[in-house]
Amino acid sequence: MHTPQLFTDLLVILLASVPVAYLCLRLRLPLVVGFMLTGIAIGPYGLGLISDVSGVEILAEIGVMLLLFSIGLEFSLARLREMKRLVLLGGGLQVGVTIGVVTFAAFMIGREIEQAVFFGFLVALSSTAIVLKSYVDRNEVDAPHGRAGVGILLFQDISIVFMLLLIPMLAGQGGESMSSVIVSLGGSLLALVLIVAGAWLLIPKFLGKIVRLRSPEVFLLTVVLLCLGLSWVTSHFGLSLALGAFIAGMVLADSDYNHQVTAEVLPFRDVFNSIFFVSMGLLLSLSALLANLGSVVLIFVGLIVVKALIIWAIVRILGSPQRVAAMVGLGLAQIGEFSFVLARAGKGAGLLPENDYQIFLAASILSMIATPFMIGFAPRFGLAIQSFMSDGPVGEIENTEDDIHLTSTGGLEQHVIIVGYGLNGRNLSRVLRTVGVSYTILDVNADAVRRAKDKGEKINFGDATRREVLMHAGIERAWVLVLAMSDPHASRRTVALARSLSKRVHIIVRTRYTAEITGLHSLGADEVIPEEFETSIEIFARVLHRFGVPNDTIEDQISHIRGQEYEMLRSTSLPPVEMGNLNAALLQAITETVTLNSGSSVIGKTLGELDLRNRTGATVVAVIRSDKTKVSPGAGYVFHEDDTIVLSGSSPKIKAAINILQGEPTALQGVSASGDSI
């Protein structure tokens, strides 16, 4: 039987990728780099093990679509509206300025103006797949630099539509006039708006009907259909496939099914993503790289430096501090995968000669290979930049001194420093304001600071990783420092800096994962509250409550776990002695309710007359009458018909008490007041 070539190529890719991935993990290298090196080795310009490159590129395109789909699940329409300034202004400036700078440089070295503009198109785009993959792996999508980077990348993905439409005009083909180009661009924008509106109205309702079928197989097929189908729709309106997948994910982010959709898509996304990164390596010609090594290295270094500087300047203009701007600039300084789409189109239109095409591919792939390393180095690079460059004034934001009251002895001031004005920061400031505790807030989001100041909030623009910012906030006199931001690197830096400035301040850090607890404690944090851990505590507390465990016992268990610095939940097994205590609590401290019917002999009697505690060992903790609850009723409390009595004690004790309350006192035989069998 004949084996399809694509199947053979796919098998070769998997056989080569698994050992390379294993080696990368052992050497602590990014997997993206390993996959791209694999593509270079087995590709048509390497060992020649892959024949059907076009077929592999189709699989790679599916990988990009699934990646953008999963990222879209993290960005609801509401969140995208919040980022509109980053997307439209930040992304628009980055694309426009980059095209302008590259066009000028190419024209000055003797290129035709049309070709120079096309070179600007190629350099303006960054790698959405690699950058987002790196940010997701490092839990930095919600960090300030992650949000800024994603906003710029989204505009780049949209701008490729305009670039593709302008290529024929730049090449002088088809008699394209400016008016026809404008009409085409307007049609594409209108199509984009209609697609988003239609998807938002129809997709959640359609998926809701599928969910009612209660079939996991049909649900998975529908999710894949929505992702690929909407990609097909956008491509037929001149938009990119990946943009359609992103829209589908973004629409589902507002639905009740986003978590289940994410769980279903992740395995497919990771497999196809790996193929995508391998396919990037397949394009690189080693002979062309060696023949033009000097030019490739010069272009590689030049585009990294120029692009990083442009993005740094734009992010600074948008109001971000030096550290964040430097991290975004370094993270987005590579060439993007969609540039390869443009390069192929430009090559076919005569804008990119073969030799230039190979040099561009070599420099671009090198920049993509370097990207994970640059993103990993970005936090240290950002801190180095901010150490000798001031953040300076930001827009129209004027930082002011907060009204903080000193103690009469000149000691610690009565105030809290809150770093981060997200959901946690807003809630904390609201509570502190209500109870009259002085506080001040620091945030690096200029728009959020400006809006909060307009509402009278005590907030200042400032990067808490800077010594002077913490000093201005009164770190030496503060009682509590709360880090409520989504930036793990900045959190660690701030904790270490704050502890060096004040030995007395109580530092509380909100983080996302328990793996970060030990490191933050070692840097000086007093309390670390990981979101996943607190969720698990809430779950087990509700489970114990369902089993009737008293609140004080539940609180004891929570205090014990927190006192052990979460070791119980981070270890593979729980200490048996503690579980033994918990089992004893479950057996000895349950609650039960009983309603007095009309035939009960205790109606009209007082609690003292019944003497339930001495007779059975059970305790009446509350009585519910006409929707009103009487907690800890006294000995003179008289029972009425339809009273609901809440009892606490072990199972035998409660059973004996229920028998009495239901008019069966003889059932006490064989049970002592301690609840033990005799």
Side-chain angles (χ1 to χ4, degrees):
M1 180 181 293
H2 175 68
T3 303
Q5 186 60 48
L6 180 59
F7 178 83
T8 304
D9 289 343
L10 181 59
L11 185 60
V12 170
I13 290 174
L14 296 177
L15 285 173
S17 298
V18 171
V20 172
Y22 174 81
L23 184 62
C24 286
L25 291 176
R26 297 291 293 179
L27 297 176
R28 298 184 180 276
L29 295 175
L31 281 176
V32 171
V33 174
F35 291 138
M36 296 184 77
L37 292 176
T38 300
I40 294 173
I42 66 176
Y45 303 107
L47 299 177
L49 301 179
I50 301 297
S51 302
D52 188 7
V53 176
S54 60
V56 174
E57 288 177 347
I58 294 175
L59 298 179
E61 189 71 39
I62 295 175
V64 176
M65 286 187 284
L66 291 175
L67 174 65
L68 268 294
F69 179 71
S70 60
I71 295 299
L73 289 171
E74 301 292 330
F75 284 86
S76 63
L77 289 172
R79 186 174 180 184
L80 194 61
R81 283 194 295 269
E82 293 177 0
M83 295 175 60
K84 62 180 180 294
R85 187 166 182 264
L86 281 172
V87 176
L88 299 178
L89 185 57
L93 283 174
Q94 183 272 321
V95 171
V97 173
T98 303
I99 292 174
V101 170
V102 175
T103 298
F104 176 78
F107 183 73
M108 293 302 294
I109 63 174
R111 299 287 181 156
E112 297 292 333
I113 185 63
E114 294 83 4
Q115 194 177 49
V117 172
F118 179 71
F119 288 166
F121 289 176
L122 297 178
V123 177
L125 302 178
S126 302
S127 176
T128 303
I130 296 179
V131 173
L132 290 184
K133 171 71 172 171
S134 299
Y135 281 165
V136 169
D137 290 345
R138 296 168 59 85
N139 304 315
E140 295 178 357
V141 172
D142 289 324
H145 61 278
R147 290 172 58 87
V150 169
I152 293 174
L153 288 170
L154 288 179
F155 186 89
Q156 290 180 2
D157 289 345
I158 296 173
S159 67
I160 190 176
V161 179
F162 307 94
M163 296 176 185
L164 286 171
L165 289 172
L166 288 171
I167 286 178
M169 189 178 71
L170 291 175
Q173 297 175 349
E176 292 283 349
S177 63
M178 182 59 69
S179 59
S180 63
V181 170
I182 293 175
V183 170
S184 298
L185 293 179
S188 296
L189 282 177
L190 179 60
L192 179 62
V193 172
L194 293 176
I195 289 170
V196 172
W200 185 67
L201 290 173
L202 300 177
I203 287 180
K205 296 179 181 179
F206 175 66
L207 196 59
K209 295 184 180 296
I210 297 298
V211 169
R212 295 190 186 96
L213 298 177
R214 300 182 181 275
S215 172
E217 295 84 1
V218 176
F219 181 82
L220 175 58
L221 288 173
T222 304
V223 168
V224 175
L225 172 63
L226 291 174
C227 174
L228 302 184
L230 202 56
S231 298
W232 179 85
V233 171
T234 55
S235 69
H236 275 67
F237 282 94
L239 304 167
S240 68
L241 290 167
L243 184 60
F246 178 82
I247 293 172
M250 188 177 61
V251 170
L252 289 177
D254 286 321
S255 72
D256 297 328
Y257 320 112
N258 61 334
H259 297 298
Q260 183 62 32
V261 171
T262 302
E264 297 287 355
V265 169
L266 277 178
F268 297 95
R269 184 200 71 180
D270 293 338
V271 171
F272 282 100
N273 262 347
S274 303
I275 297 174
F276 163 74
F277 295 122
V278 172
S279 72
M280 292 294 99
L282 297 177
L283 299 174
L284 181 60
S285 171
L286 292 177
S287 59
L289 172 61
L290 295 176
N292 301 280
L293 187 59
S295 300
V296 169
V297 172
L298 182 63
I299 293 174
F300 165 71
V301 174
L303 72 87
I304 292 291
V305 173
V306 171
K307 200 167 182 180
L309 287 173
I310 291 173
I311 295 173
W312 164 80
I314 289 170
V315 177
R316 282 289 295 139
I317 291 173
L318 293 179
S320 293
Q322 297 285 0
R323 178 183 61 86
V324 174
M327 293 176 69
V328 178
L330 203 60
L332 271 61
Q334 74 292 130
I335 298 299
E337 58 275 354
F338 291 133
S339 294
F340 298 138
V341 177
L342 286 176
R344 284 195 292 267
K347 181 183 175 184
L351 290 171
L352 195 62
E354 179 63 30
N355 188 57
D356 288 350
Y357 178 71
Q358 286 299 329
I359 293 175
F360 168 75
L361 286 182
S364 301
I365 291 174
L366 287 179
S367 73
M368 296 172 79
I369 292 176
T371 297
F373 298 103
M374 292 193 297
I375 290 178
F377 177 68
R380 283 176 289 173
F381 178 70
L383 292 174
I385 292 296
Q386 81 166 16
S387 65
F388 64 87
M389 296 183 71
S390 171
D391 287 334
V394 180
E396 300 175 354
I397 300 176
E398 180 182 354
N399 286 345
T400 56
E401 299 290 340
D402 292 300
D403 183 19
I404 303 172
H405 303 287
L406 286 170
T407 62
S408 59
T409 60
L412 294 177
E413 291 187 356
Q414 303 289 326
H415 80 294
V416 177
I417 300 174
I418 304 171
V419 181
Y421 197 59
L423 178 62
N424 293 313
R426 290 195 299 271
N427 287 337
L428 176 58
S429 65
R430 187 183 302 113
V431 172
L432 293 178
R433 187 166 57 249
T434 301
V435 300
V437 175
S438 298
Y439 66 90
T440 185
I441 305 169
L442 298 173
D443 199 281
V444 296
N445 187 328
D447 291 334
V449 172
R450 189 178 293 105
R451 288 193 298 267
K453 273 187 173 294
D454 291 341
K455 296 178 181 178
E457 185 62 273
K458 301 176 182 178
I459 186 170
N460 285 327
F461 176 86
D463 187 350
T465 63
R466 301 187 74 111
R467 177 188 179 91
E468 59 270 23
V469 172
L470 287 180
M471 295 293 290
H472 178 270
I475 187 64
E476 294 176 307
R477 303 179 304 276
W479 274 11
V480 180
L481 170 66
V482 179
L483 304 185
M485 51 188 176
S486 300
D487 190 338
H489 300 287
S491 294
R492 290 194 289 270
R493 167 71 177 176
T494 305
V495 168
L497 181 60
R499 184 54 69 208
S500 69
L501 295 174
S502 174
K503 302 299 181 185
R504 296 175 295 183
V505 67
H506 190 82
I507 302 176
I508 302 174
V509 186
R510 166 259 190 184
T511 185
R512 186 167 283 188
Y513 301 105
T514 56
E516 299 173 2
I517 295 173
T518 304
L520 288 167
H521 274 302
S522 65
L523 291 172
D526 295 288
E527 297 182 56
V528 182
I529 305 174
E531 293 178 354
E532 65 174 358
F533 170 75
E534 289 303 319
T535 300
S536 68
I537 279 190
E538 182 67 20
I539 290 173
F540 90 65
R542 296 194 181 202
V543 170
L544 296 185
H545 181 75
R546 181 67 178 172
F547 275 93
V549 178
N551 288 334
D552 57 347
T553 304
I554 297 175
E555 290 298 327
D556 287 343
Q557 292 297 317
I558 294 175
S559 298
H560 173 75
I561 294 175
R562 286 177 173 151
Q564 295 297 319
E565 296 186 1
Y566 312 111
E567 288 300 323
M568 288 180 69
L569 289 182
R570 286 194 291 167
S571 61
T572 56
S573 60
L574 298 175
V577 61
E578 293 303 327
M579 291 307 294
N581 293 340
L582 188 55
N583 289 335
L586 287 171
L587 290 173
Q588 298 176 8
I590 66 172
T591 59
E592 187 60 85
T593 60
V594 58
T595 301
L596 300 182
N597 54 41
S598 58
S600 174
S601 60
V602 304
I603 294 175
K605 295 183 179 181
T606 65
L607 181 58
E609 291 174 332
L610 293 180
D611 197 18
L612 285 178
R613 186 172 183 83
N614 288 331
R615 295 170 66 186
T616 66
T619 302
V620 176
V621 296
V623 178
I624 303 172
R625 178 182 298 167
S626 301
D627 295 329
K628 295 182 179 180
T629 303
K630 175 68 174 178
V631 180
S632 299
Y637 191 88
V638 179
F639 290 113
H640 292 177
E641 183 180 347
D642 295 329
D643 280 352
T644 298
I645 302 171
V646 183
L647 300 166
S648 177
S650 66
S651 182
K653 294 175 184 178
I654 288 180
K655 183 177 180 181
I658 289 176
N659 287 338
I660 292 177
L661 293 171
Q662 291 179 339
E664 303 177 32
T666 56
L668 275 174
Q669 296 177 355
V671 179
S672 67
S674 63
D676 300 324
S677 298
I678 56 175

